[in-house]
Amino acid sequence: MTFDLRTILQSKAALRLRLAAQPIGVKLRLLDELRARAVAIAASRKTAKPSAK
Amino acid sequence: MKIKEVIATINQMQRAGVIERYAIGGAVGATFYLEPVATLDVDIFVAFKTQPGSSLVSPQPIFEYLTQHGATVEGEYLVIAGWPVQFLPPTSPLGEEALAQAAEVDVEGEPTRVFSAEHLAALALQLGRAKDKARLLQFVENGALDADRFQTILTRHGLLEKWRTFGQQFLQP
């Protein structure tokens, strides 16, 4: 692990390229999972009560 | 995989003669070329058939077929295998060309069509919303575009000035 910004950005770019190079079946399964997560987050936002000040 | 179920259902509908040519666009289409990015819906571009006795195009046959085959309606969406799917007509010459020239691909044995990377990028440039610009940047940074083909599309559809502006905003070192 590093806090060097250049290294962090390079590793992010490398991860994106690795993900992009995955077989389409793998990527579409990830989309399924990402959507399920986004729906769950949206639902929790709707039910979350605003905190009292 | 649920998106594969969506594709299989649309293929069945095509075989039943409800639609002719279709292609996947939007964020799901971009996933064929880029890393996956969270999206809530699937955009299917389709040439709508005109109704007998009418010159108007209608999505009604699609709604009727899919609801008879288990889909549910939520506003402008048809929900298939849990995914909200929107059926869209191409609304510009660029969109029509993207549909006509869509690439045939295979998703684990299920054939489908998807807009080419260059057409998806050109459509993102044309639409110009923040999320479209982010997607266009992904295409560029990932080296996912055939530069000659992209340039030809931009020229044909009068998008060179927009591309120059985009380059000045986002691609200058």
Side-chain angles (χ1 to χ4, degrees):
Chain A
M1 186 154 175
T2 174
F3 291 112
D4 177 61
L5 184 60
R6 179 182 291 193
T7 308
I8 291 168
L9 292 176
Q10 282 173 346
S11 70
K12 279 184 183 293
L15 174 63
R16 287 174 56 185
L17 284 174
R18 275 204 306 278
L19 282 170
Q22 292 292 311
I24 188 60
V26 172
K27 293 199 284 183
L28 292 180
R29 273 187 202 90
L30 277 171
L31 269 194
D32 279 338
E33 291 172 20
L34 286 169
R35 180 174 184 277
R37 195 177 301 175
V39 168
I41 291 168
S44 71
R45 280 197 188 126
K46 276 183 192 165
T47 54
K49 291 177 184 169
S51 58
K53 287 188 179 174
Chain B
M1 185 205 316
K2 291 186 173 182
I3 289 189
K4 190 176 168 185
E5 288 178 47
V6 174
I7 293 168
T9 302
I10 294 168
N11 284 341
Q12 284 167 15
M13 180 168 67
Q14 188 182 32
R15 282 194 291 274
V18 178
I19 56 170
E20 293 173 1
R21 196 175 182 84
Y22 81 88
I24 303 171
V28 176
T31 300
F32 283 75
Y33 307 98
L34 303 171
E35 75 273 21
V37 174
T39 183
L40 292 173
D41 61 4
V42 183
D43 291 335
I44 302 292
F45 289 82
V46 61
F48 287 102
K49 286 181 170 178
T50 51
Q51 294 282 70
S54 168
S55 60
L56 296 173
V57 293
S58 169
Q60 194 60 29
I62 296 174
F63 275 70
E64 283 173 6
Y65 177 90
L66 288 174
T67 50
Q68 284 165 13
H69 289 78
T72 54
V73 179
E74 278 184 21
E76 296 298 308
Y77 290 96
L78 280 152
V79 180
I80 307 169
W83 272 92
V85 180
Q86 198 157 39
F87 290 88
L88 304 157
T91 53
S92 66
L94 175 59
E96 287 171 10
E97 182 183 284
L99 181 57
Q101 297 182 10
E104 292 190 14
V105 292
D106 180 280
V107 177
E108 297 184 344
E110 194 66 48
T112 191
R113 279 188 215 89
V114 61
F115 283 174
S116 72
E118 293 77 20
H119 279 108
L120 283 166
L123 284 163
L125 181 68
Q126 188 177 59
L127 288 167
R129 300 164 298 182
K131 67 176 185 178
D132 298 309
K133 289 176 179 171
R135 186 177 300 156
L136 180 52
L137 208 49
Q138 274 181 282
F139 274 108
V140 174
E141 288 178 349
N142 283 21
L145 300 176
D146 177 317
D148 289 341
R149 188 171 188 218
F150 185 53
Q151 198 75 14
T152 304
I153 291 169
L154 296 184
T155 305
R156 193 160 48 236
H157 295 281
L159 291 167
L160 285 174
E161 190 53 43
K162 268 195 168 184
W163 176 238
R164 263 191 287 274
T165 304
F166 181 87
Q168 286 165 359
Q169 282 181 309
F170 299 105
L171 303 176
Q172 298 286 339

